[in-house]
Amino acid sequence: MKMIDLNCDMGEGFGVYSLGDDAAMLDIVTSANIACGFHAGDPLVMAQTLALAKARGVGCGAHPSFMDLWGFGRRPIHGQSPADIEKQLIYQIGALQALAHAQGLRLGHVKTHGSLGNMANEDIDLARAVARAIKVVDPGLIFVVMPGLPTERAGEEAGLKVAREIYADRAYAANGNLASRKLPGAVLHDAEAAAARILDILDSGAVASLEGPRIPVRADTICVHGDTADAVAMARAVRTRLTAAGYVLQPMANWL
């Protein structure tokens, strides 16, 4: 049996502002990465997203970031020590964990957001700080990582379960990290093409980079971002292709 998880970043509204169609996405994906208040989300949004996921049997995880509401967590923030960032992550994961506990839910995973994730994928000290934060909050949490990069190494060193992730809607740089959103072609919008690309990656064990070379990857979970206009259509196309190819979609925490 070929198991796979389909995840989406969500709960990314704040106050009166909303972003993405979380309700529609939760009818498609199997795991939700929920913003924890630093790049988006507030206690009400976080609690509502948890409730929507619970009602649909979707696995819930924390999606912590740099403290950057203004920049949606997508601005690189330098000058903070890994120890300081570790404490910020403990704070964010713990906040969502408490809100989940209040609804009888248990968080299953942690996935870093935006620039924090990109930087941790290139900095082993930062990656280790993320792994330490996850482990001290709950060593049973799954660390969502990019294959072949420092986050994978840090998760394995810490003895955490890791879920290796590939992206349906993002292009890759030659080093295996995500290509900068500033580059042409870094964000993919054609749902059917993205879905076909995912099957090619899973079948071949490699993904083409923007520069050309193919990068070897393993995958336990596939991400579709929820903050683009075509996000729901892309998630639906990916799920349809995966099901047709014989994959069974279940939350990562159910089988990893």
Side-chain angles (χ1 to χ4, degrees), residues 13-49:
F14 188 86
V16 300
Y17 301 100
S18 61
L19 183 67
D21 190 345
D22 288 356
M25 290 297 286
L26 285 165
D27 286 331
I28 302 168
V29 301
T30 51
S31 290
N33 318 310
I34 301 173
C36 301
F38 273 30
H39 77 281
D42 61 39
L44 300 184
V45 171
M46 292 159 70
Q48 180 185 40
T49 309

Side-chain angles (χ1 to χ4, degrees), residues 22-256:
D22 288 356
M25 290 297 286
L26 285 165
D27 286 331
I28 302 168
V29 301
T30 51
S31 290
N33 318 310
I34 301 173
C36 301
F38 273 30
H39 77 281
D42 61 39
L44 300 184
V45 171
M46 292 159 70
Q48 180 185 40
T49 309
L50 287 163
L52 289 171
K54 179 182 180 180
R56 291 161 171 80
V58 173
C60 296
H63 196 37
S65 75
F66 285 135
M67 190 182 291
D68 183 27
L69 277 173
W70 185 263
F72 197 66
R74 288 181 177 158
R75 298 184 296 184
I77 297 179
H78 302 280
Q80 299 183 85
S81 71
D84 287 349
I85 293 171
E86 180 181 344
K87 295 176 181 65
Q88 294 174 29
L89 293 170
I90 292 169
Y91 179 96
Q92 293 178 78
I93 299 165
L96 187 69
Q97 185 184 56
L99 287 167
H101 178 75
Q103 297 190 34
L105 284 170
R106 184 180 183 278
L107 296 186
H109 67 278
V110 176
K111 173 187 168 180
T112 51
H113 167 82
S115 285
L116 173 60
N118 291 338
M119 290 170 65
N121 280 325
E122 298 180 359
D123 181 338
I124 187 61
D125 291 332
L126 184 54
R128 286 171 174 152
V130 177
R132 287 194 302 269
I134 295 169
K135 189 170 184 177
V136 76
V137 173
D138 181 353
L141 288 167
I142 298 167
F143 185 10
V144 179
V145 303
M146 289 188 68
L149 297 184
T151 47
E152 181 183 43
R153 176 181 165 192
E156 290 175 338
E157 288 177 351
L160 295 169
K161 291 181 182 179
V162 296
R164 295 166 180 87
E165 178 181 48
I166 57 174
Y167 286 77
D169 52 6
R170 291 295 310 279
Y172 285 72
N175 66 357
N177 204 350
L178 295 180
S180 169
R181 286 176 177 266
K182 297 177 182 178
L183 296 175
V187 180
L188 310 180
H189 298 284
D190 185 318
E192 292 301 329
R197 172 176 171 263
I198 283 295
L199 285 184
D200 175 68
I201 295 169
L202 293 173
D203 289 343
S204 67
V207 58
S209 65
L210 274 182
E211 296 90 338
R214 289 179 68 82
I215 306 153
V217 294
R218 293 169 55 193
D220 304 301
T221 184
I222 299 160
C223 176
V224 177
H225 286 95
D227 59 347
T228 58
D230 45 16
V232 173
M234 183 169 293
R236 188 176 292 114
V238 170
R239 179 163 188 141
T240 298
R241 289 284 190 113
L242 289 169
T243 302
Y247 284 90
V248 176
L249 283 83
Q250 288 285 334
M252 66 180 86
N254 287 7
W255 55 272
L256 267 179

